[in-house]
Amino acid sequence: MSGIKSIAVIAHGYSNEKFSGEGKVYHEVIRALQDSNLGKIQLVTFSKPKRYLPFEVKYVVPFRITKLDKYQRLLTLWKARSLTPSIFVNLSGTLLKLSDIAPHLAYSAAPAFTTPGKYSSSIFWRLYLYPFEKYVKAHLDKNAIIISNSHYSARKIESLGLNVRTVIYPPVDVEEFITNKLDSNKEEAIITVARIERGKMLENTINIARLTKLKTYIVGSLSDKNYLGKLREISKGLEVEFLTDLPRRELVSLMQRVSVYFHPTIGEHFGIPIVEAMASGTIPIVPSESGASEILPKDLSYSSLEEAAEKVKKYVKGWNNLRKELIEKSMSFSSSNFRTKIISIISEIIK
């Protein structure tokens, strides 16, 4: 295809100002498209952005809504169907049919209804997700060109009868976190970085603090004040420190200082903070049921909290050679590598 006129970038949560892995993908893909000059960008999002953007924006509502994320994704894709671009670049992970209008390139994690997590944790959340799941399964785009964010996600997507073309791991600003200070003693403590919301399973981090008796830092943007209150209550008597909305520079410093990173979220598709920990020379302990387990040595994965606690205690001191190996490996997940890989595939499709 030549003479491209427009690239419709579907990013339902673009207006969310809190940092997230999905938000990082949005910005890096758009940056790659701007640098490549492949065509005119049309952003399709749910809420009207608060600031001026140097490209056309189509939105569903002129105000911000923080609830009903899954249904915001559906409405954003319906909005996208009103366009006739040369290509859809779908970054919202919902694989609804668009290829009847134009080539549909989708960058996707595992659908929420295929993995354990918040949406399988209670009757309320199962009822919330049920209509979304039924609709998506009935309208899957069998002709979409799918890039998955991990092999774990790819297996879940393919279980729906779809084909995944390739895996490209999410972009990480590893250069910010790289450290050469492994000769000095790291603090024998645990750090977890995640949004403060129920789906991140932060109770698991508190249980690890209880099992190991180690100082524990829980860092993340605050999405649910009630959940934070619950976490504070169950962590009483433990040395757990909550650091919400921590400035980036302070997060980098803390990650470089602490010895072990613990990831609490079972079924996490990937986990950008895990790579940030690797770059910091901080050893990650991650769930076996996750995308992160495929990028780390097998011994750094856990199947139970008891096993995780033993591994935290094992790796909390020393292991400088392993830390150096993890720093080196983290560099392959850089944002520049991500942009190069994404733009290569888009360019191939729109030739």
Side-chain angles (χ1 to χ4, degrees):
M1 184 183 295
S2 61
I4 184 168
K5 296 180 180 178
S6 62
I7 303 170
V9 178
I10 303 168
H12 81 285
Y14 189 90
S15 300
N16 187 349
E17 295 177 352
K18 288 185 179 291
F19 179 83
S20 69
E22 193 169 45
K24 176 67 173 169
V25 168
Y26 298 162
H27 291 285
E28 292 299 339
V29 170
I30 289 174
R31 178 180 171 182
L33 289 169
Q34 289 175 314
D35 290 346
S36 70
N37 293 315
L38 284 174
K40 175 185 173 183
I41 297 172
Q42 292 178 298
L43 174 66
V44 189
T45 188
F46 182 74
S47 299
K48 181 181 180 180
K50 292 182 178 180
R51 59 188 176 86
Y52 167 78
L53 296 171
F55 39 77
E56 185 180 0
V57 180
K58 302 290 185 181
Y59 52 86
V60 178
V61 296
F63 46 83
R64 175 106 189 278
I65 297 176
T66 59
K67 305 295 184 182
L68 302 173
D69 171 81
K70 298 302 176 205
Y71 298 93
Q72 288 186 29
R73 294 172 193 262
L74 294 184
L75 290 168
T76 304
L77 264 74
W78 288 337
K79 181 72 174 181
R81 288 191 62 84
S82 67
L83 305 178
T84 53
S86 301
I87 185 174
F88 289 105
V89 179
N90 178 5
L91 308 179
S92 284
T94 303
L95 302 169
L96 296 184
K97 191 167 183 62
L98 290 170
S99 59
D100 56 326
I101 301 172
H104 176 196
L105 177 67
Y107 185 76
S108 183
F113 49 80
T114 65
T115 62
K118 175 175 73 174
Y119 298 107
S120 58
S121 64
S122 69
I123 292 175
F124 171 82
W125 285 116
R126 288 196 292 273
L127 289 173
Y128 165 84
L129 194 65
Y130 181 76
F132 174 84
E133 177 181 354
K134 294 291 286 185
Y135 187 87
V136 169
K137 285 183 175 179
H139 296 86
L140 288 170
D141 194 343
K142 302 284 187 177
N143 295 315
I145 303 160
I146 302 171
I147 303 171
S148 177
N149 70 347
S150 68
H151 293 283
Y152 174 81
S153 289
R155 291 192 294 273
K156 301 296 184 180
I157 293 167
E158 289 179 338
S159 73
L160 300 174
L162 299 171
N163 293 316
V164 173
R165 172 167 173 167
T166 191
V167 169
I168 299 178
Y169 291 116
V172 185
D173 291 326
V174 291
E175 297 86 356
E176 274 189 275
F177 289 84
I178 293 288
T179 181
N180 295 313
K181 299 179 180 179
L182 294 180
D183 292 334
S184 58
N185 291 326
K186 282 210 169 213
E187 180 182 355
E188 294 180 20
I190 302 164
I191 182 170
T192 289
V193 179
R195 286 191 309 280
I196 310 298
E197 65 174 30
R198 296 176 192 275
K200 294 300 181 181
M201 306 181 189
L202 291 165
E203 297 90 342
N204 288 342
T205 298
I206 293 169
N207 285 328
I208 291 297
R210 183 172 289 108
L211 290 167
T212 62
K213 312 299 183 190
L214 290 168
K215 172 68 181 287
T216 299
Y217 301 93
I218 295 179
V219 184
S221 58
L222 181 56
S223 295
D224 187 334
K225 290 182 181 180
N226 291 332
Y227 182 54
L228 177 61
K230 175 190 173 183
L231 295 174
R232 289 188 188 280
E233 184 65 28
I234 65 175
S235 65
K236 284 183 178 177
L238 302 173
E239 200 175 357
V240 177
E241 186 172 347
F242 296 90
L243 300 168
T244 59
D245 300 312
L246 195 67
R248 188 74 169 172
R249 183 164 52 180
E250 293 180 32
L251 168 61
V252 171
S253 177
L254 182 60
M255 189 77 92
Q256 291 176 341
R257 190 178 87 223
V258 172
S259 181
V260 172
Y261 177 90
F262 173 74
H263 200 71
T265 316
I266 312 299
E268 184 80 78
H269 310 140
F270 184 70
I272 283 176
I274 295 161
V275 178
E276 294 171 344
M278 292 167 63
S280 303
T282 298
I283 296 177
I285 307 298
V286 306
S288 299
E289 175 76 11
S290 72
S293 65
E294 69 198 49
I295 67 169
L296 291 167
K298 188 174 181 180
D299 194 52
L300 300 184
S301 297
Y302 67 87
S303 298
S304 69
L305 292 183
E306 291 73 20
E307 181 184 13
E310 290 305 311
K311 293 187 175 185
V312 167
K313 288 186 285 187
K314 175 180 176 179
Y315 288 104
V316 77
K317 181 184 289 188
W319 299 92
N320 276 3
N321 287 338
L322 174 59
R323 296 179 194 277
K324 290 174 184 176
E325 289 173 16
L326 294 173
I327 290 172
E328 185 175 346
K329 185 170 185 178
S330 74
M331 297 172 71
S332 66
F333 299 96
S334 70
S335 296
S336 60
N337 280 351
F338 173 85
R339 292 194 301 271
T340 298
K341 291 175 181 178
I342 285 287
I343 212 67
S344 174
I345 294 176
I346 295 174
S347 298
E348 180 184 330
I349 294 169
I350 64 176
K351 280 180 182 178

